[in-house]
């Protein structure tokens, strides 16, 4: 099972993040996770929100360039070594993690992590095989 992620391409100029968060707030879209990567010329803002279709429509309407990408979310024990165990399973399977980031908050002693890999179905099957709890959109309050 995958979760929809929005990647917004941004110019490297002051105020871009404030604009996007205001636009989403005005549209009553709630962010569940956020990550930003930047180069000298542009940035890529990755978002998981409670209503991806609405957020995409609103941002496109404001002239932002974006893509939707499926990502895999997992619950990781929020204790030393919790993430290391998950990464070890991924590494032993020879799966390359393109990027990963955490989700706001945690539940029942579990932190939530988001993984982007080329083969989301393979990663999902690997997690299932090793008893690693995947999270669903509902776990993050996604409609």
């Amino acid at each position: 099972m995958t979760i929809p992620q929005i990647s917004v391409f941004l110019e490297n100029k002051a105020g871009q993040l404030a604009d996007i968060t205001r636009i989403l707030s005005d549209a009553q879209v709630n962010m569940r996770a956020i990550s930003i990567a930047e180069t000298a010329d542009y940035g890529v803002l990755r978002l998981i929100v409670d209503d991806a279709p609405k957020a995409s429509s609103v941002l496109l309407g404001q002239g932002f360039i974006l893509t939707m990408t499926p990502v895999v979310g997992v619950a990781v024990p929020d204790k030393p070594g919790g993430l290391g165990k998950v990464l070890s399973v991924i590494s032993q399977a020879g799966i390359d993690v393109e990027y990963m980031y955490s989700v706001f908050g945690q539940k029942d002693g579990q932190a939530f992590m988001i993984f982007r890999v080329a083969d989301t179905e393979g990663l999902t099957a690997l997690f299932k095989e090793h008893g690693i709890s995947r999270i669903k959109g509902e776990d993050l309050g996604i409609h």
Side-chain angles (χ1 to χ4, degrees), residues 19-113:
D19 289 345
I20 287 177
T21 58
R22 179 190 46 76
I23 290 165
L24 294 176
S25 175
D26 290 349
Q28 296 298 299
V29 173
N30 196 7
M31 293 185 296
R32 300 297 186 203
I34 186 170
S35 171
I36 189 160
E38 52 105 4
T39 67
D41 300 322
Y42 65 92
V44 178
L45 175 67
R46 295 184 175 105
L47 298 167
I48 294 178
V49 297
D50 65 346
D51 191 339
K54 182 178 182 180
S56 296
S57 177
V58 168
L59 292 171
L60 286 168
Q62 292 292 318
F64 289 98
I65 298 169
L66 59 89
T67 61
M68 295 280 285
T69 309
V71 293
V72 177
V74 297
V76 177
D78 190 10
K79 62 182 182 181
L83 178 59
K85 178 182 175 186
V86 172
L87 292 174
S88 179
V89 167
I90 295 170
S91 175
Q92 289 172 12
I95 295 176
D96 181 36
V97 175
E98 295 176 19
Y99 57 83
M100 62 178 255
Y101 55 94
S102 63
V103 176
F104 299 149
Q106 56 107 350
K107 181 179 176 184
D108 299 326
Q110 302 286 309
F112 294 147
M113 298 297 299

